Amino acid sequence: MKNGKFLTLAIESSCDETSAAVVADGRTVLSNIISSQIAIHTAFGGVVPEIASRHHLQNMNTVIDQALKEADVDFSQIDLLGVTCGPGLVGALLMGVATAKAISFARGIPLVGVNHMYGHISANFIAYPELEPPFLCLIVSGGHTNLVEMTDYVQCRVLGATRDDAAGEAYDKVARVIGLGYPGGPKIDRVAAEGDPQAIAFKRVYLEKDSLDFSFSGLKTAVLNYLNTERQAGREIRTADVAASFQAAVVDVIVAKTMKAAERTGQKQLVLAGGVAANSRLRADLHQACEKRGIRLYVPQPVLCTDNAAMIGCAAYYKYKASGPDDLYLDAYPDLAI
Ligand code: KG4
Ligand code: ZN
């Protein structure tokens, strides 16, 4: 406790960010240290799991020390430990889980394993202190694309999911084939701003009439086919146009399905979560669509959209309040469902 506030120390290591945060009363961030490995993985064109694990191991203690220091607290003041236990890369997750269990055991601090997806959703409770469930949530990250209805702080109903690639995965793969490299999302976002989104008519994949599911793998193939055809014909490829047209195809479908979900559930609050929520076109188009329908849109600042431990601290706090601590048998669950 500090000044009467309940303190959670949170750890996130599910992919390529080593992060630790101290969160007060579940919603106030005292520190949120993020050590990104992007520069390391760029040389390989994507995240190399084994290298990610090794860097988590190297950075973990420093990142935790920094988080405590910046929050001006020590272990004796921490009331709860929260750690991402899935989904994610198993070796990367294990680094965080093992660290959290060791601290929990050594210091006698209760421990809670957090589902990374609930972490992404919870970023909104930090960004918007007045936000309360129920609400509709669009989760668009590198590993997941989901439309869910949050019924309370710790439970949700899944309305739709991707059947193949996640939205962020599609961005990353397309960025690679058009020569933008890793990480693809922010790069396509930037380059697309100079391109014409109507230059190439990539097909919008809506699946069955009433489905709220997504499919992005066909779009990736369509981009590849377009590039091959143009190259074979000896025509110049305008990367900015390809990026803008691809992005338009992804965003159009996401916006349409999200609005359909809002209509179906009657929810008037829409919350965005996950790395792709940082995308400027998605934000702008959703903003417009929501305004038309009287829906309030919640979009956390980009640093809270991508992987960070503060969001895990918030989710840990609500999970602990709802169902108490986990024991030291807590493990890493790479395929943990939402
Ligand atoms: O949520 P996140 O940090 O990690 C996962 O849990 O997956 O999301 C990372 C994903 C990557 O695929 C990245 O390319 C994408 O989010 N991303 C973006 C943008 N910023 C990050 N995609 C589109 N536009 C962006 N501005
Ligand atoms: Zn994530």
Side-chain angles (χ1 to χ4, degrees):
M1 298 287 264
K2 185 184 180 188
N3 303 329
K5 300 217 184 294
F6 185 96
L7 297 188
T8 304
L9 170 63
I11 298 170
E12 155 65 37
S13 69
S14 64
C15 189
D16 59 347
E17 261 93 29
T18 318
S19 180
V22 178
V23 179
D25 285 347
R27 287 176 97 131
T28 307
V29 180
L30 302 187
S31 62
N32 189 19
I33 308 296
I34 304 163
S35 167
S36 174
Q37 302 178 11
I38 284 179
I40 295 157
H41 298 286
T42 298
F44 305 97
V47 179
V48 183
E50 181 51 39
I51 294 176
S53 310
R54 214 176 304 149
H55 282 276
H56 285 309
L57 180 62
Q58 273 168 6
N59 297 335
M60 189 63 76
N61 287 343
T62 314
V63 166
I64 292 172
D65 284 348
Q66 258 179 287
L68 292 171
K69 195 166 164 217
E70 199 174 299
D72 195 22
V73 297
D74 58 42
F75 280 122
S76 70
Q77 291 166 290
I78 299 295
D79 304 288
L80 177 68
L81 287 162
V83 64
T84 305
C85 61
L89 302 170
V90 68
L93 287 166
L94 275 171
M95 291 303 146
V97 170
T99 305
K101 288 203 295 193
I103 299 171
S104 170
F105 182 65
R107 302 272 175 177
I109 305 170
L111 168 71
V112 158
V114 173
N115 183 315
H116 184 78
M117 307 318 290
Y118 280 96
H120 274 302
I121 297 167
S122 300
N124 286 275
F125 296 131
I126 293 171
Y128 299 96
E130 72 284 9
L131 175 66
E132 280 178 32
F135 51 75
L136 179 66
C137 182
L138 168 69
I139 310 164
V140 271
S141 75
H144 296 264
T145 302
N146 283 105
L147 270 167
V148 305
E149 190 176 22
M150 273 311 266
T151 45
D152 62 35
Y153 282 98
V154 292
Q155 276 182 72
C156 73
R157 191 163 71 89
V158 178
L159 307 169
T162 183
R163 294 188 188 166
D164 39 58
D165 290 353
E169 194 178 352
Y171 266 92
D172 293 337
K173 286 178 176 170
V174 166
R176 199 176 311 151
V177 299
I178 61 176
L180 293 178
Y182 167 87
K187 288 191 173 163
I188 290 190
D189 197 356
R190 217 170 308 128
V191 171
E194 335 248 272
D196 173 9
Q198 284 165 349
I200 309 144
F202 291 124
K203 190 168 174 248
R204 275 62 173 157
V205 180
Y206 290 100
L207 302 169
E208 304 82 29
K209 190 169 160 282
D210 289 324
S211 175
L212 292 175
D213 284 347
F214 300 90
S215 169
F216 295 114
S217 70
L219 185 54
K220 175 191 64 196
T221 312
V223 172
L224 267 175
N225 288 343
Y226 170 81
L227 295 175
N228 288 338
T229 310
E230 295 302 292
R231 276 187 198 125
Q232 273 166 15
R235 284 190 287 265
E236 186 207 349
I237 293 165
R238 280 190 39 90
T239 305
D241 285 349
V242 182
S245 301
F246 157 78
Q247 177 161 275
V250 173
V251 170
D252 281 358
V253 173
I254 293 179
V255 172
K257 299 237 173 199
T258 306
M259 291 305 113
K260 192 178 266 184
E263 202 175 284
R264 204 174 287 172
T265 57
Q267 289 293 350
K268 288 290 177 196
Q269 302 194 100
L270 170 64
V271 159
L272 273 193
V276 185
N279 185 262
S280 51
R281 172 147 187 169
L282 181 64
R283 286 168 172 247
D285 286 9
L286 275 176
H287 188 75
Q288 225 179 17
C290 286
E291 207 162 53
K292 240 194 250 166
R293 293 166 178 82
I295 297 169
R296 169 135 192 228
L297 179 65
Y298 297 85
V299 192
Q301 51 272 48
V303 67
L304 287 173
C305 287
T306 46
D307 292 349
N308 69 91
M311 67 185 196
I312 303 303
C314 176
Y317 173 79
Y318 286 110
K319 187 178 166 205
Y320 182 66
K321 278 207 339 191
S323 52
D326 288 315
D327 60 29
L328 291 178
Y329 288 101
L330 180 72
D331 209 343
Y333 310 97
D335 300 321
L336 189 62
I338 189 164

